[in-house]
Amino acid sequence: MSAIQHHIFTSTCCDSELKSFKLQFNTPSFICDPELKSVHKIHQQPRREFPTDSSNLRHTGHEAARTHQVTNKNYIRTCFSTYGHVHACRFVYRNQGFNNCAFVTFTKAADAATAMRDGSITLHDRHLTVRPAYSWYQPDSTEQTFMYAMVGNDGDSTETGETQLSTEQYVHNDRLPNDTENVSIHMLNDHCLKHIFQFLPIVDRVRIEIVCKRWRRVVKNSWHTTKTLDLSPSTWGIAYTHTIPTVVLRKILLKCGKFLTRINLNDPNNSLSEDTLTVIGQLCPNLRNIDVTALTVSASEIRALGKRCRNITELRLGTLTSKCDSELKRLFALNENFRYLAITGNFISGKCLLFLPAQTMRTIILDRCYCLGDAHLSTALKNLENLKHLAISKCARIAEGTFQVVGQHCKTLTTLELNGNFPLAQTTDMSHLNHLVDLQVLKITHNPKVSDHFLIGLVQHCQQLTNVDITGCHYVTNVGLTALASLARLDKLVVSYTRLLTDDGLENVRGLKEFECRRCLFSDRAVTTLIRSSPELRLLDFFGCKNITDSTLEVAKDVCSGRTNNVTLNMICGGTGGILAKKKIGREKVPTLLNLYSNSLYAK
């Protein structure tokens, strides 16, 4: 009669009851069976004849072992206790419910290693085969199965019979470990299935709930690890032409909403209704990061969000149907850990900004807030002395008060972005920004109030600048460009759409990593000098510069051929005075470290 081999496996145990040991000791587990004819014979008897009650084991276990040599958990634990403390021992029921293998888990990994090295482990005068146990061979513990039953259906009762998994779901007696042709996914335990299901798109995860009761329970439990949700087709597993309506989003939020910490609904091509934010507020109380830029939000939706969500740290809002200052005021007051606020295209007056938490706020982005008052914004900024990033774009009512407060009170700013003309401000108001000595990124674009005098003062006080963007500032001349060239840490410079800059100003610029000068008057002389003097230059954008010809391309090819730092130069050269398209140059004539583009880095 063929012997029954029992394996002892060594690996980290995947059960929830041993998870702490996994982290601390890299806990190994073992599985063992005696190769006994008597045991094999006993295993053919109904399982009800085995002494399973602990009290019965004390009285009948010895007699049963003497007459039939019944293998039970106590014998296994005693056998392996000689090597160290046994944390757990349990059987895997296979072959119609009989015990033919057991998992033994030690408290310390060293004890398990000692047992592995001992090749003479015996039980009932028979040799045991000891092998390492991988997590996918191990059964789920009773505690873990019970936990799945309690939380798997969000309150729905689950019968005990559904939580007791059959042994055939894990290991089949006629399937060997190396038999790759007859492998079944049901051999995996719940822990492994749950890990696999987490990689499925939302549509597929919902569909597999109807496979069987066990999969339905595991899938429902897998939603607990879902922390982020967006509308991308890859996340949902749908075609790019399809959109997600609010009714479908609500059904998914019923499954995972209370576990979400981040939701991103900034895709403009959506079919979400106006009450979507209300649904989010009701079903997602633990959200920290909310992006609803693509939604039109009403005052009632802001109130619904404030009733349940008290842990918001980042909020991005789009169009509002009304000013909603009072609703936002209450929302800001209830969330004391606000760090990031971006408001785009609405009509807030700015009163709500007074209630932002002063100690935690780091970023404020205000874009096209046409009713934003200078008095409210300047008062709010006085309290935000830990602010790191401030961006104001096309807010026409901003005047001297805001610039003065930014210079005097926002000394910790590292990034400042000002876009558009501020008609109520004066040219001299820009000088207040020279007090931001820690400023690293400055983007003042399409602003006629930026002058050479302002740039000279800025360079004298703000020596930490690494990124300067003066796109569309038409009154900057070579004097201002020469001043910017003296910044020791300057890596990126953008001077696109400026009318008065020439080669005389650009020749002083050295050591850049990125330079953009779209539709400027620069010629080959200045651009080639920049290429030669900037060994780490990786982006050069001179789209639309009519005075640049093939000479610049030849210099770029020579410089990139001799580069030893492995830095690739990306040149955007469309619309110039003679540079050939890449398809006419030929790949063999272009160095490896040189890429040519026509309009942008994404359109060659």
Side-chain angles (χ1 to χ4, degrees), residues 450-452 455 470 473-484 498-502 505:
V450 177
S451 61
D452 293 338
L455 293 179
I470 54 172
C473 297
H474 301 303
Y475 295 102
V476 177
T477 67
N478 291 332
V479 176
L481 183 58
T482 303
L484 292 177
T498 52
R499 302 171 181 173
L500 304 179
L501 300 181
T502 63

Side-chain angles (χ1 to χ4, degrees), residues 276-287 290 297-312 315 317 324 326-336 338:
T276 302
L277 191 58
T278 301
V279 175
I280 294 174
Q282 293 173 349
L283 301 179
C284 308
N286 298 314
L287 283 176
I290 303 174
V297 179
S298 63
S300 60
E301 293 180 89
I302 298 293
R303 285 195 297 269
L305 189 66
K307 289 180 180 179
R308 297 290 303 277
C309 299
R310 304 296 175 88
N311 300 313
I312 301 175
L315 177 63
L317 286 176
C324 299
S326 59
E327 289 76 17
L328 288 173
K329 176 179 68 175
R330 184 175 183 272
L331 181 66
F332 297 155
L334 293 174
N335 291 269
E336 299 178 352
F338 247 104

